[in-house]
Amino acid sequence: MPIRLGPFVRTINKKLLRPILSFLPLPSPYKSPLCLLLLFSHFSSEEFFLLSSPFSHLLRRRSWSSQTVSEMESLGLRAVGSHCSLSEMDDLDLNRALDRPRLKIERKRSFDERSMSELSRHDSPRGRSVLDTPLSSARNSFEPHPMMAEAWEALRRSMVFFRGLPVGTLAAVDNTTDEVLNYDQVFVRDFVPSALAFLMNGESDIVKHFLLKTLQLQDSEKRVDRFKLGKGVMPASFKVSHDPIRETDHLVADFGETAIGRVAPVDSGFWWIILLRAYTKSTGDLTLSETPECQKGMKLILSLCLAEGFDTFPTLLCADGCSMIDRRMGVYGYPIEIQALFYMALRCALAMLKPDGDGRECIEKITKRLHALSFHMRNYFWLDYQQLNDIYRYKTEEYSHTAVNKFNVMPDSIPDWVFDFMPLRGGYFVGNVGPAHMDFRWFALGNCVSIMSSLATPDQSMAIMDLLEHRWDELVGEMPLKICYPCLEGHEWRIVTGCDPKNTRWSYHNGGSWPVLLWQLTAACIKTGRPQIARRAVDLIESRLHRDCWPEYYDGKLGRYVGKQARKYQTWSIAGYLVAKMLLEDPSHIGMISLEEDKLMKPVIKRSASWPQL
Ligand code: GLC
């Protein structure tokens, strides 16, 4: 068990002392008294941090006693405090689960080796954010931007309470319009950046309550007309309704049955699992994810995706508008956003599921699916200069296992813009791959989540960042970040969106710029050791977002105009900014929302050679 050093030591950060002492050539019984002696004698906490900073690399690696770590590992999860290295964050090793020999792959300098020092230039030793919150302190920190105080205030104004407990944040608190629509609800996907901001600030209660409330909602009966939805479906959003007569609150959820287009949110369940892991990682509290309710909730979500059927691909087939892009936008079939979230949720669940009863069976299914899914995505969704050239030269109508052009993609269907867009260095996961179908559009969320989850190999992650730098004007322009690139226009817009007036060219989901995506971009930058890219994006946000009252999205080729129908005081724009700032301030927060490489990586196999190995 960890040594109990009492509240005084805890405020300084008990995790810092133990590892330092463990390097001293002393038998461990002496270390705990020595620790206390050190604390009570010479050093103030600030001095202690100064003294210990040269050892920060070691501290990050050795922040848990080996016994604690092994206890947690035996439960399939590693505890990581807010000071941790990516090497500590390695979840249940897929290799072990599959019982395969490890394949050593060549990779560039890892995050640990290269960038902790670069990244921690602005580290806050307290691992908390600054400003306007009882738990944060500006001491020992770089000068905070005044926007952060405003952002915390606005985030707190959006908090929703159920019977006195905080359970989420409203999608928007826009007093400039009467047109509320459904922005007065707590959206599962929208709450994720709020939750991360609260976790990074040491406020985990709201996240725990949210996870438990949405889990209860999963249990309710969901119908669209006379058709019943699967048990595992998680709500898109919920609302707290107050009964003034009985003086009680109750929750009303939407599972897609009242949403535009009547589509169930496939992403909600994945975000729920990802958030459960973030909560567990951040707090070290294993008791929540281990409850029979949470274990069951995860299994129900996954049973919707892991059921055997007619599928010939390991990717998840879904309807248009089932995620952040919740309107018809030609993202049906196998959209990258869902595949990346699916992969990440599978890996998070693998780290949290208990191998008992049906848990074991679920773990086996996940492991096999991950193996096939990563192979499929890394090979068939990946596009770079070389791959584009190969597709350009594809033969069609190939039969049998020797086919190179497996999905019969017609080279004529490659849009002209891709040839100009694709740099010689760089690449990305395309929007969709299906029979005779390749959607070449670049989507921000799918590519960033691919990096965070390590669905992208280290080389692919670097290439995604290279492309982003190369195509900065197109993908970032004046406001981070384009939801997708390029937009649909003219005839294509009419056919693909069904003439949607909200999704006109360079607006909203059709090439609009969404400030919320800043946090995902920042996480990807930190994971790949390129924080300077995120800092550039943050500068752009800081030059406008507050002045424009935190809009939901911006329009135009450069993202210069506040979106036609954008809400103001959109909560995830606010929370996304806070998360990005806190990630840059203390990059070790990345552990909450990042997964280390799964070590299953194989060298990229040529399409023609892949069949015998699958
Ligand atoms: C819009 C977005 C959706 C978001 C919702 C609430 O419908 O498309 O992704 O969850 O607003 O902010």
Side-chain angles (χ1 to χ4, degrees):
M1 286 302 288
I3 305 160
R4 294 262 163 258
L5 298 174
F8 174 70
V9 179
R10 256 200 303 276
T11 56
I12 294 179
N13 191 341
K14 68 175 185 243
K15 287 181 208 156
L16 286 175
L17 286 166
R18 217 172 332 108
I20 282 204
L21 292 168
S22 69
F23 278 90
L24 298 177
L26 281 173
S28 49
Y30 294 110
K31 288 182 181 170
S32 145
L34 179 60
C35 183
L36 285 169
L37 201 73
L38 265 174
L39 285 167
F40 284 107
S41 57
H42 300 298
F43 309 119
S44 70
S45 60
E46 280 72 22
E47 283 167 333
F48 190 83
F49 273 111
L50 282 175
L51 281 168
S52 63
S53 61
F55 304 113
S56 60
H57 181 68
L58 300 173
L59 296 176
R60 287 171 201 278
R61 285 179 165 273
R62 302 182 54 101
S63 57
W64 291 83
S65 73
S66 56
Q67 198 185 338
T68 315
V69 171
S70 69
E71 273 166 22
M72 294 183 125
E73 271 180 345
S74 72
L75 299 168
L77 197 89
R78 285 199 188 169
V80 176
S82 66
H83 291 279
C84 61
S85 77
L86 285 185
S87 60
E88 283 175 320
M89 297 181 303
D90 203 347
D91 285 343
L92 189 67
D93 189 335
L94 271 176
N95 248 355
R96 240 186 301 149
L98 272 171
D99 206 21
R100 288 170 156 270
R102 282 183 184 207
L103 266 162
K104 202 167 165 54
I105 58 146
E106 244 238 273
R107 54 171 296 176
K108 299 191 175 158
R109 277 191 306 154
S110 73
F111 178 90
D112 271 0
E113 293 158 57
R114 178 181 40 182
S115 46
M116 254 316 173
S117 52
E118 263 169 57
L119 294 169
S120 32
R121 238 179 297 149
H122 293 309
D123 260 17
S124 144
R126 306 199 143 237
R128 286 193 190 288
S129 168
V130 289
L131 279 183
D132 198 46
T133 167
L135 288 171
S136 38
S137 142
R139 272 187 306 153
N140 297 319
S141 185
F142 70 106
E143 196 54 45
H145 195 283
M147 247 172 83
M148 283 196 78
E150 300 271 353
W152 273 115
E153 233 174 68
L155 181 62
R156 293 196 190 290
R157 272 200 302 274
S158 73
M159 280 167 75
V160 172
F161 293 83
F162 177 79
R163 298 180 188 161
L165 296 175
V167 289
T169 49
L170 298 175
V173 189
D174 186 357
N175 297 324
T176 64
T177 172
D178 293 336
E179 201 191 31
V180 177
L181 302 177
N182 55 354
Y183 287 87
D184 61 346
Q185 305 202 8
V186 180
F187 278 75
V188 171
R189 71 176 74 87
D190 291 44
F191 182 65
V192 173
S194 300
L196 295 175
F198 286 124
L199 287 175
M200 287 176 189
N201 201 43
E203 299 172 67
S204 57
D205 278 4
I206 184 169
V207 183
K208 185 174 183 174
H209 296 143
F210 168 87
L211 288 165
L212 288 169
K213 281 292 153 231
T214 40
L215 190 59
Q216 277 170 14
L217 291 170
Q218 186 193 38
D219 227 14
S220 43
E221 198 189 80
K222 325 144 221 217
R223 271 176 197 277
V224 175
D225 294 334
R226 295 176 190 182
F227 189 63
K228 225 167 114 181
L229 274 74
K231 270 191 180 166
V233 178
M234 277 285 185
S237 60
F238 67 84
K239 201 174 168 160
V240 177
S241 165
H242 184 71
D243 182 338
I245 299 165
R246 291 194 197 142
E247 290 206 335
T248 67
D249 290 342
H250 69 276
L251 296 177
V252 188
D254 172 35
F255 294 89
E257 72 273 34
T258 63
I260 288 174
R262 301 285 186 270
V263 188
V266 177
D267 64 339
S268 283
F270 297 152
W271 279 124
W272 188 87
I273 294 175
I274 293 165
L275 195 55
L276 179 62
R277 173 183 172 272
Y279 168 87
T280 313
K281 280 275 187 183
S282 153
T283 58
D285 169 18
L286 291 164
T287 58
L288 182 65
S289 66
E290 284 186 344
T291 55
E293 291 78 16
C294 282
Q295 293 284 315
K296 184 176 159 213
M298 277 191 276
K299 284 179 226 162
L300 282 176
I301 295 167
L302 295 176
S303 65
L304 295 172
C305 326
L306 297 174
E308 288 172 2
F310 289 102
D311 301 310
T312 45
F313 308 140
T315 35
L316 193 66
L317 182 63
C318 48
D320 217 338
C322 66
S323 58
M324 177 185 179
I325 297 179
D326 53 0
R327 298 164 80 93
R328 187 175 159 196
M329 263 298 290
V331 286
Y332 59 91
Y334 306 93
I336 178 68
E337 169 164 348
I338 290 296
Q339 312 314 321
L341 286 172
F342 180 33
Y343 176 86
M344 185 154 183
L346 286 176
R347 287 206 53 201
C348 290
L350 194 58
M352 294 185 291
L353 279 172
K354 293 207 248 177
D356 51 8
D358 52 355
R360 191 177 300 281
E361 199 187 319
C362 193
I363 288 171
E364 271 167 30
K365 279 189 184 170
I366 293 175
T367 311
K368 285 186 185 148
R369 189 64 170 262
L370 277 171
H371 191 44
L373 182 63
S374 52
F375 177 87
H376 186 95
M377 296 299 298
R378 290 165 186 173
N379 284 279
Y380 307 131
F381 274 65
W382 183 250
L383 193 74
D384 55 17
Y385 162 74
Q386 188 55 52
Q387 186 65 15
L388 181 59
N389 208 154
D390 290 350
I391 298 172
Y392 174 68
R393 289 166 50 81
Y394 266 172
K395 290 188 186 64
T396 55
E397 313 302 323
E398 292 176 302
Y399 285 90
S400 97
H401 296 303
T402 54
V404 176
N405 180 6
K406 287 188 176 169
F407 309 114
N408 203 31
V409 173
M410 312 293 166
D412 270 359
S413 71
I414 306 175
D416 288 344
W417 65 264
V418 192
F419 294 107
D420 299 330
F421 180 73
M422 185 61 78
L424 288 178
R425 231 183 71 175
Y428 65 102
F429 287 110
V430 296
N432 216 313
V433 177
H437 178 216
M438 203 153 188
D439 180 347
F440 289 88
R441 279 177 295 172
W442 174 93
F443 287 84
L445 197 151
N447 277 283
C448 289
V449 173
S450 299
I451 293 177
M452 280 147 63
S453 63
S454 288
L455 169 60
T457 66
D459 285 347
Q460 286 174 335
S461 298
M462 283 300 178
I464 293 171
M465 299 312 294
D466 287 342
L467 180 120
L468 195 96
E469 269 192 313
H470 226 91
R471 292 287 165 225
W472 187 261
D473 290 346
E474 288 88 345
L475 304 178
V476 181
E478 295 179 16
M479 180 53 65
L481 180 66
K482 283 254 165 29
I483 194 166
C484 65
Y485 181 88
C487 70
L488 303 166
E489 35 192 340
H491 183 61
E492 208 184 6
W493 165 78
R494 273 192 288 279
I495 300 294
V496 176
T497 72
C499 301
D500 188 343
K502 203 168 174 185
N503 274 333
T504 50
R505 63 186 195 144
W506 304 117
S507 181
Y508 199 45
H509 299 142
N510 188 11
S513 303
W514 290 67
V516 59
L517 296 170
L518 177 73
W519 82 260
Q520 291 164 9
L521 172 68
T522 305
C525 290
I526 287 178
K527 178 86 184 282
T528 49
R530 294 162 81 164
Q532 68 286 0
I533 299 180
R535 290 206 189 98
R536 244 178 110 184
V538 166
D539 285 348
L540 287 170
I541 289 268
E542 287 180 339
S543 70
R544 288 208 55 182
L545 209 62
H546 174 239
R547 201 183 70 202
D548 294 339
C549 304
W550 311 92
E552 181 188 13
Y553 65 95
Y554 285 77
D555 285 356
K557 218 167 178 175
L558 290 170
R560 182 175 295 169
Y561 300 94
V562 173
K564 215 181 340 180
Q565 295 188 41
R567 303 286 108 181
K568 300 283 180 77
Y569 295 98
Q570 178 79 18
T571 305
W572 68 359
S573 300
I574 297 162
Y577 166 70
L578 285 173
V579 173
K581 289 290 277 188
M582 285 190 276
L583 276 169
L584 285 169
E585 187 188 325
D586 181 358
S588 65
H589 284 313
I590 189 78
M592 279 185 221
I593 32 120
S594 149
L595 292 152
E596 189 58 344
E597 220 188 311
D598 62 17
K599 318 232 167 53
L600 257 186
M601 247 302 287
K602 291 182 182 185
V604 174
I605 297 160
K606 275 261 171 272
R607 280 153 201 242
S608 50
S610 64
W611 171 71
Q613 305 190 36
L614 270 176

